[in-house]
Each structure stands twice: as C-alpha cells, then as structure tokens.
C-alpha cells in the first residue's frame, strides 16, 4: 500500500532528517496516493482556486484565435501541433478545440491538439506548431531560502518534539541556489526570504524537445527577477489555496491544498534562451487579451439578447480576466523556435478578424464569478502564508 503524502513526508524526515521544501512540495502535490494534483479534480467548478479558462470561455476562444494567427504566420502547415503542458481538468483544451471546430474550420482541420502531463507526453517530439501552458511553472517544487549575515541559508522542513512541521535553516542542499542568485546579479539584504525554482531549466529542455519550429506561449503569475526579489516581496511569494481561501501554512492540509510560488520570468527567459527558445515578448495578460481583441467582444454584450443578470455575469467574468490586481496581472511570455523572427508583428489577429467571430458566453462548466461573489481580494497573491 503506497503511503499518503503526510505519512510519506514524516517517514522521510524520520529516516533522513530534515528535507528540502522542494521535496516536501513534490510529495504534497504529486504523491501517487493522495497528492493534490494526482487526485480526481476533473470538475473545474470545484477547485480550490479558479483559473482564466474557468473564469470565462472567452479566454480559451481568444487563444484559439491566437493559435490560428500563429498557424498563418508559419504558412499554414498541416499538421499544426498544439501541445498543452499541464492541462489539468482539460477545460482549456476542450474550449480551444471546440471553438476552433465551430468557428475556425480551416485551422481546426490542420490542428492536432495534444495534452501532456508530468509523467507522459513522449509522443510529442520535434513538431511544428505551438507549446502552450497556463499556470504550469508556478506549481513546480521550489527551494526556500533566507539571507543571514550576507549568506544564503536554505529553509528545510523538519518535525518538532510535538510532531508539528516547521522550518529549520541549514547549509544549502545544492550550490545551484547560490549560483542562481549570483547569476541574476542580486544582492539581497539580511532577513530576505524567497524561493528558487530549479525545475525551469528542465522545463525549457523539454519544450525544446517538443517544438522544432514554431512558438511557445507561457501564461503564469510572477515577475522578472528584480521585481520578484524586491523589498515588497522580502518574505517570499509562497501561496496556498484551500477551499477558495489563500494564506494558510503550507504544513496544513497536506495533499488537500495547492501550493505555488511566483514565477521568475528572468530565469524562464534565460533558461529558455539556453535551450534554443528565442524570447519575443513579455506582457501582462491584460495586454495580451487586449491585443487579441477582448474589448471587441466585451463591447458586444449590451447588444446580445440576454437578461440583465446574464449581461452582468459575463461582463464581470470578462473584466476579471484583465483585472490588473488579479488575472490581468499574470504574465504572458512568447518564444519562437527554429525561425529568425525578431518581432511580434503579424502574430496577433486584426480587429477586423475578431469582429467577424462570435463571442462565447458563460456555461455551467465555468466558475460563475458573479454568482460566487468573487472579488479581486481572491487574486491577491502577495501575502505569504504563516510559517507553521
């Protein structure tokens, strides 16, 4: 019988002493018997958090329009592979493929949509098309650190005399932690806490194996390094989600709550560059959706034959996608692979193209923000959890 996450973590600490937070996070999220992401979480309306695809179907529909534009930029190859990494419930995949099937028929015939997860996806290799992910890198296990007397110490996970998990400082488990901060050129003051994601290079290498020619669209929350490790975030960015509540200790609800950390986009860019992924642009999700034509669709709501309630519900959800204090503050990074493109001209649809296309409306399999009374407070990810 495989051990459940908390029991497995206690066993490892009992056998080997304190473990890295990355190991703790790996077990809590991905343990085969009860890890947070290995549970049956197919119903997107019952998540402990909500994502852009679940907020409103316009998000995935506009990504479908973007993918069609990228396909055209590659001279309409057949097949055009869309490889979604970390597809989760599959809602974004379903919405993209369904919108393309109904409204982008030529592109739909050329598109081959493939989803890959942590354990599989070897069949996607050397393709032409686009690698796509939404809120993937933030869930990679991270190491935690603190600066003491101008040196970096790592924060490990241990168990106290009462059997409670807590953090203990020690020598770094790997020199890569110091090397990462040195490479970023950061001189952090004493007392600073933060996280280092050492899986980004592995991700970049995997993406480079998948895509031979085309694009990479990465959507996640985070910052470039100077902002990520700024005084405003001097206690780190680790975040937990349990039953739509954020901010609890990572040592509670093990296997039952999500644990994430903000993405260091400077490292994503540099590790990607080393793997052959050429960065084209980094923008906020609000800017991205604006360029894709969300405002065009939002302006149509008043002309639809909808009840006042449905108009408000759709308008609120679509505004949520671009709220700068919430989902709109997420970052969108676009890479190109195997080409010599220098800019993003021609990589976004014209306003006329978006005006030709129908706008999808909320369905029962999307989170009704209006009904749920969600506010931008739900999206505030700057408050670190209490360290148990």
């Amino acid at each position: 019988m495989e051990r459940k996450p908390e029991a497995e973590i206690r066993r490892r600490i009992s056998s080997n002493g304190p473990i890295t937070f990355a190991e703790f996070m790996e077990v809590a999220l991905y343990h085969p018997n009860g890890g947070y992401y290995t549970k049956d979480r197919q119903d997107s309306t019952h998540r402990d958090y909500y994502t852009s695809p679940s907020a409103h179907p316009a998000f995935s529909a506009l990504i479908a329009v973007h993918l069609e534009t990228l396909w055209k930029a590659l001279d309409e190859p057949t097949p055009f592979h869309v490889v979604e990494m970390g597809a989760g419930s599959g809602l974004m995949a379903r919405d993209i493929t369904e919108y393309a099937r109904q409204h982008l028929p030529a592109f739909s015939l050329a598109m081959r949509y493939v989803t890959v997860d942590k354990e599989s996806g070897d069949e996607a290799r050397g393709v032409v098309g686009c690698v796509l992910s939404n809120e993937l890198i933030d869930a990679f296990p991270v190491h935690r650190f603190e600066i003491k007397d101008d040196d970096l110490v790592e924060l490990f996970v241990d168990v106290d005399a009462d059997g409670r998990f807590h953090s203990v400082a020690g020598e770094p488990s790997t020199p890569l932690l110091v090397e990462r901060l040195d490479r970023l050129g950061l001189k952090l003051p004493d007392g600073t806490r933060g996280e280092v994601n050492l899986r980004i290079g592995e991700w970049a290498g995997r993406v480079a194996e998948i895509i031979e020619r085309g694009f990479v669209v990465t959507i996640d929350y985070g910052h470039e390094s100077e902002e990520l490790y700024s005084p405003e975030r001097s206690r780190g960015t680790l975040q937990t989600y349990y039953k739509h509540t954020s901010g609890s200790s990572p040592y509670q609800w093990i296997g039952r709550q999500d644990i994430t950390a903000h993405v260091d986009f400077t490292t994503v860019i540099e590790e990607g560059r080393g793997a052959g992924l050429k960065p084209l642009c980094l923008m906020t999700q609000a800017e991205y959706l604006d360029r894709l034509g969300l405002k065009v669709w939002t302006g149509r709501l008043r002309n639809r034959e909808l009840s006042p309630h449905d108009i408000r519900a759709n308008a609120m959800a679509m505004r949520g996608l671009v709220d700068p204090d919430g989902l709109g503050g997420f970052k969108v990074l676009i890479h190109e692979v195997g080409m010599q493109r220098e800019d993003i001209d021609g990589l976004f649809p014209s306003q006329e193209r978006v005006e030709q296309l129908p706008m999808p409306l909320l369905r029962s399999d999307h989170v009704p923000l209006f009904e749920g009374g969600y506010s931008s407070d739900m999206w505030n990810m700057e408050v670190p959890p209490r360290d148990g």
Side-chain angles (χ1 to χ4, degrees), residues 315-329:
M316 178 178 179
M318 294 171 80
R319 284 198 302 268
L321 291 173
V322 294
D323 187 313
D325 295 322
L327 297 171

Side-chain angles (χ1 to χ4, degrees), residues 7 9 21 74 107 110 157 161 211 225 303 316-317 328 349 368 374:
I9 291 167
F21 189 83
L74 287 171
F107 171 61
V157 181
I211 192 84
S225 60
N303 299 322
M316 178 178 179
Y374 290 101

Side-chain angles (χ1 to χ4, degrees), residues 9-19 157-159 165:
I9 291 167
R10 291 183 181 278
R11 184 193 68 79
R12 293 187 186 191
I13 293 174
S14 176
S15 298
N16 304 311
I19 62 174
V157 181
D158 200 359
V159 177
F165 292 110

Side-chain angles (χ1 to χ4, degrees), residues 192-195 222-224 226-237 262 331 381-382 384:
T192 299
R193 284 190 174 191
E195 301 83 31
H223 313 275
E224 293 180 87
E226 285 193 9
E227 187 175 354
L228 179 65
Y229 296 109
S230 66
E232 290 79 10
R233 297 176 184 84
S234 62
R235 303 309 292 166
T237 65
H262 287 205
K331 301 295 191 303
M381 301 178 197
E382 302 301 337

Side-chain angles (χ1 to χ4, degrees), residues 30 56 154 227 339:
Y30 300 106
H56 198 282
E154 186 164 3
E227 187 175 354
M339 298 178 288

Side-chain angles (χ1 to χ4, degrees), residues 205-226:
R206 178 70 184 98
V207 171
E209 291 177 347
I210 292 173
I211 192 84
E212 180 177 302
R213 187 168 67 92
F215 301 93
V216 183
V217 178
T218 305
I219 306 169
D220 224 315
Y221 59 88
H223 313 275
E224 293 180 87
S225 60
E226 285 193 9

Side-chain angles (χ1 to χ4, degrees), residues 136-213:
L136 170 68
I137 298 176
D138 68 84
F140 291 173
V142 295
H143 294 256
R144 299 178 74 189
F145 71 85
E146 184 171 355
I147 303 300
K148 289 187 176 181
D149 299 325
D150 292 329
D151 289 327
L152 180 147
V153 297
E154 186 164 3
L155 298 178
F156 295 84
V157 181
D158 200 359
V159 177
D160 66 17
D162 295 321
R164 295 175 298 191
F165 292 110
H166 68 126
S167 298
V168 293
E171 290 292 319
S173 60
T174 168
L176 295 176
L177 301 180
V178 175
E179 290 173 13
R180 169 69 62 79
L181 295 187
D182 286 346
R183 189 163 66 249
L184 293 172
L186 299 174
K187 177 65 175 176
L188 302 178
D190 277 2
T192 299
R193 284 190 174 191
E195 301 83 31
V196 172
N197 185 336
L198 294 179
R199 298 285 183 88
I200 293 175
E202 178 184 322
W203 166 86
R206 178 70 184 98
V207 171
E209 291 177 347
I210 292 173
I211 192 84
E212 180 177 302
R213 187 168 67 92

